[in-house]
Amino acid sequence: MSKKKRIVCRHCAAPVSEYYSINYLGDYFCGDLCHETFHEANEEQFDHCDEDHPDHFDYSSIRREYMYWNDHWTELLQEITKNSNTYAQEANDFIQELDEIIEAYSDYILTEGEDGVFAYEIYQYTLKLGEIQRHIQDWTSASKS
């Protein structure tokens, strides 16, 4: 039986949550504030900043998408379907929207994120978005009953 690795913030040493951020060296941070504070305080240690990395924009984009969908998919579906019986259609629309987001990162999926730190994280976020799709499908099935 394997134990789950406990990852802590490089800046404050707090355990990271699912909303962690990471830099191009692979250091974990509990959030954007610790990430920025650490890099500003240790500026001389870094050859370049994360934004200079070719995959950083994609990493930042899919991370924001994941955080949004993870925080809001349930309330969005409940709000949209509160006065109707269109659970399946609305859920399918959300699943399709998530498909489009995931598909935008297909290069990272093909390589399974083996092209560096940010590529690996992007690939992991595509998997996490797929999990949200499964939760939406399960929610739809439960709503029909």
Side-chain angles (χ1 to χ4, degrees), residues 22-25 35 39 48-54 56 118:
I22 196 165
N23 67 11
Y24 74 96
L25 297 173
H35 187 162
H39 278 269
H48 62 280
C49 62
D50 290 335
E51 290 82 13
D52 296 333
H53 192 283
H56 185 265
F118 288 134

Side-chain angles (χ1 to χ4, degrees), residues 17-83:
S17 73
E18 62 191 317
Y19 298 122
Y20 68 88
S21 68
I22 196 165
N23 67 11
Y24 74 96
L25 297 173
D27 296 325
Y28 286 84
F29 299 90
C30 58
D32 293 330
L33 182 59
C34 272
H35 187 162
E36 291 168 20
T37 304
F38 178 81
H39 278 269
E40 287 172 5
N42 299 287
E43 189 174 332
E44 70 284 348
Q45 294 179 12
F46 300 99
D47 295 339
H48 62 280
C49 62
D50 290 335
E51 290 82 13
D52 296 333
H53 192 283
D55 294 333
H56 185 265
F57 179 79
D58 287 346
Y59 163 73
S60 295
S61 297
I62 197 167
R63 179 174 174 261
R64 279 191 308 275
E65 288 285 0
Y66 168 73
M67 291 189 304
Y68 173 79
W69 281 98
N70 194 51
D71 285 346
H72 300 291
W73 73 266
T74 305
E75 68 188 47
L76 289 170
L77 271 176
Q78 288 173 343
E79 180 64 28
I80 288 172
T81 61
K82 71 180 177 184
N83 295 322

